[in-house]
Amino acid sequence: MKLRERMARYIRKRQGPDTLPLTLARRRLYILPTRTGIGFSLLLLLMLVAGLNYANSLALFLTFLLTGFTLVTMHHCHRNLLGAQLVAATAHPTFAQRDGTLSLSFENSSGSPRFQIAAGVGDLPTIAAADVPANGFGKIEIPVPAAKRGIVRVDRLHLVTTHPFGLFRAWTWVHAPIEMLVYPRPQGLLPLPADIGNKSGERSLTNAGADEWLGLRAFRDGDSPRQVDWKAYARDAPLLVKEYSAAGAEVRIFDLSHLGHLGMEAQLEQLARWIVDAESNGERYGLKVPNRFIAPNHGSEHRHQCLAALAVVGLEETARVH
């Protein structure tokens, strides 16, 4: 482990910080035989010894032919990464105790496709790979663990390929500033607080109990199952959520100080639960946390703004994935 950390520091110092878009140059690529490649090399060595020992020209010819095949394979493995462009890296917000998603966008400006380019976060194993067509684009989505709320910073990415035949492994490291916002998980049993804002006597009688249909939208993490359009889903449609806006509805203000009987994390989780439920119901809501007040509104941007404010309450340091 110490050797690996020492090598990581050396590579970071040698390459320096990276900015996107990034073209993978020759000097930053590394290549070594895989276990399969080492076994294949030992087989060639045994074939060479046997051919020399028995003066078998056919065995020697086959050995040299396979050796040339191995060298060509090494060249193609290295070229599969050489010149590829990492255009963008986007980490989408997620809820705590769920895996987030890091999307990597690649561009291939050469006339040859690039096969099986894999990517991973830090020293975690690569579990996602994609082909990038000639003169085209490709995307790889990597799961990123998000154990707790806050900001997860991805210190290093590694890009790997073993194409073709898996005899060699070419790889490189990317040190680009990538951050992923982690919301508190929406959890809590307390009911939504009483509406405040408009007085009940000011609500229009003609609109009492009426809801305004806003439409359908794609399902998001934390949405209530009660809002899902199950009939459409049964007809092989994507998972969609019904959106309503309560006509003349009063606004809700979610105040952190009103949950003082709970622990800090439990308070934030309860507020996240209320925000998700209020947004699913099409209600207008605001948020009050220490040193910040978010005015009542609704919509996906407002939902993100409120959950993002909860994600960083009381936090000064960011979590890191090495």
Side-chain angles (χ1 to χ4, degrees), residues 188-192 211 213 215-217 219-220 222-232 239-244 252 270 273-283:
L189 301 177
L190 297 178
L192 285 166
D211 287 337
W213 168 258
L216 297 173
R217 60 167 173 80
F219 182 85
R220 293 192 294 253
D223 283 336
S224 174
R226 293 175 297 177
Q227 300 299 122
V228 174
D229 189 348
W230 295 111
K231 292 183 179 179
L239 203 58
L240 301 174
V241 175
K242 302 175 184 178
E243 281 195 308
Y244 297 93
R252 301 183 189 270
Q270 180 64 73
R273 176 78 271 166
W274 286 344
I275 289 171
V276 169
D277 288 346
E279 181 63 34
S280 298
N281 296 335
E283 300 179 4

Side-chain angles (χ1 to χ4, degrees), residues 250-270:
E250 301 164 349
V251 300
R252 301 183 189 270
I253 303 297
F254 302 139
D255 193 340
L256 181 66
S257 63
H258 293 168
L259 298 173
H261 60 287
L262 301 175
M264 175 56 72
E265 294 304 318
Q267 294 178 38
L268 298 175
E269 291 173 355
Q270 180 64 73

Side-chain angles (χ1 to χ4, degrees), residues 172-203:
T172 188
W173 295 99
V174 178
H175 305 94
I178 303 171
E179 293 184 345
M180 181 179 72
L181 185 64
V182 182
Y183 306 141
R185 59 176 179 170
Q187 180 172 289
L189 301 177
L190 297 178
L192 285 166
D195 300 340
I196 59 174
N198 297 332
K199 296 181 180 179
S200 58
E202 296 175 354
R203 181 180 297 183

Side-chain angles (χ1 to χ4, degrees), residues 44-65:
L44 292 179
L45 180 61
L46 292 176
M47 291 174 61
L48 177 63
V49 172
L52 292 174
N53 185 52
Y54 292 100
N56 189 322
S57 58
L58 184 60
L60 291 174
F61 171 75
L62 181 59
T63 301
F64 295 142
L65 179 64

Side-chain angles (χ1 to χ4, degrees), residues 81 104 106 116-130 140-143 156-162 169-173:
L81 272 185
L104 305 180
F106 290 88
Q116 290 300 296
I117 296 179
V121 175
D123 294 324
L124 298 178
T126 56
I127 58 176
I140 300 177
E141 293 189 343
I142 313 169
R156 295 188 302 158
L157 293 173
H158 63 280
L159 308 178
V160 183
T161 185
T162 58
R169 178 177 182 268
W171 77 96
T172 188
W173 295 99

